[in-house]
Amino acid sequence: MGRKVHPIGYRLGIIKPWTARWYAQGQQYGEMLHEDFRIRERVMKLHANAGISHVSIERYPNQVVITLHTARPGIVIGRKGQAVKDLRVEMEQMTGKKVKVEVEEIAAPDMNAQLVAENIAGQLERRISHSRAVKRAMTQAMRQGALGVRCSVAGRLAGSEMARREVMHEGRVPLTTLRADIDYGFAEALTTYGRIGVKVWIYKGEVFAPEKSETDGVYISQ
């Protein structure tokens, strides 16, 4: 029954930050949570080909800050920033608050698990062999500096009668080490034989807390 904990959720508050940063109580919490889902769903639908890894949402009393982490910022920004302006206007109409849209570029897309999973899924939809697509993605990630990569594809691979799961890995991926910086991504390939699920784990190294000085947490009177 092991290995079912989400690698990022397992490390939240330790080495991984939340993608939604706000506080609410009671009924307001549910309303804002569903609003976050609608925002992310709309952004992903508008920029399906922009290589968006994830959307961070930060809320203030009268403002919502939406940060798009993308490998292709030019597509998200648009000509003279028109695409960002249109997105901001639509988000303001949806939320009823002032919205600020920020775009952050992903420097190494081959090291981002979500983008790697979507890339593999796209190749499977184009009828490329799953083993070839996975091996190529893993090789590129290792060249970019990953210490380990693990990929899992499940479904009717190559149009087989029965669904099966194949797992390939290279290097080491310590899933239970909390200080291990592991990125996780999931995507689905819609093929003529059915859906094929793609999961990717990328190990980037260990994250250590900064060393505390002797005076940290100690109040010194003058």
Side-chain angles (χ1 to χ4, degrees):
M1 295 297 290
R3 299 181 296 179
K4 292 181 177 65
V5 178
H6 196 290
I8 296 176
Y10 187 49
R11 293 165 174 81
L12 277 179
I14 300 171
I15 63 169
K16 294 286 186 180
W18 280 262
T19 54
R21 292 180 291 277
W22 46 267
Y23 177 80
Q25 286 182 322
Q27 185 179 354
Q28 188 183 19
Y29 176 85
E31 293 172 354
M32 293 169 71
L33 184 65
H34 283 283
E35 191 174 86
D36 281 6
F37 280 124
R38 290 196 299 270
I39 289 172
R40 290 193 173 95
E41 186 179 16
R42 185 57 182 161
V43 169
M44 291 298 184
K45 189 175 181 180
L46 284 174
H47 301 289
N49 299 321
I52 295 178
S53 169
H54 65 279
V55 179
S56 299
I57 301 174
E58 196 166 355
R59 294 177 182 271
Y60 298 97
N62 295 312
Q63 188 182 40
V64 180
V65 180
I66 302 173
T67 306
L68 311 182
H69 300 264
T70 174
R72 300 171 187 168
I75 297 177
V76 177
I77 295 172
R79 183 172 294 180
K80 295 182 181 179
Q82 188 60 41
V84 168
K85 292 178 184 176
D86 294 342
L87 178 63
R88 180 174 55 80
V89 171
E90 185 173 346
M91 292 297 106
E92 286 180 348
Q93 293 175 351
M94 181 186 294
T95 61
K97 297 179 182 178
K98 186 178 179 183
V99 174
K100 181 181 179 183
V101 179
E102 296 180 349
V103 180
E104 287 192 12
E105 183 179 5
I106 298 173
D110 292 330
M111 286 274 287
N112 188 285
Q114 182 61 36
L115 297 183
V116 171
E118 290 176 2
N119 180 32
I120 294 173
Q123 293 184 60
L124 295 177
E125 290 177 350
R126 298 194 298 272
R127 302 195 176 205
I128 295 174
S129 168
H130 64 277
S131 58
R132 181 181 177 186
V134 169
K135 287 177 182 177
R136 182 185 300 172
M138 291 171 62
T139 302
Q140 290 174 345
M142 295 297 285
R143 282 179 183 172
Q144 289 289 328
L147 299 180
V149 186
R150 181 172 184 241
C151 296
S152 169
V153 287
R156 292 183 61 187
L157 303 177
S160 61
E161 289 294 325
M162 289 186 65
R164 68 180 191 273
R165 180 186 302 275
E166 287 192 12
V167 181
M168 303 180 190
H169 57 84
E170 188 172 346
R172 54 188 290 262
V173 184
L175 294 178
T176 56
T177 305
L178 285 173
R179 64 172 179 268
D181 185 8
I182 293 179
D183 196 12
Y184 172 77
F186 171 76
E188 288 183 343
L190 307 180
T191 68
T192 54
Y193 302 106
R195 290 176 185 260
I196 295 178
V198 181
K199 295 179 181 179
V200 177
W201 296 260
I202 297 179
Y203 174 45
K204 302 179 181 179
E206 293 187 347
V207 178
F208 294 96
E211 293 185 3
K212 292 185 178 180
S213 64
E214 294 180 358
T215 58
D216 279 353
V218 179
Y219 176 74
I220 302 175
S221 58
Q222 299 293 332

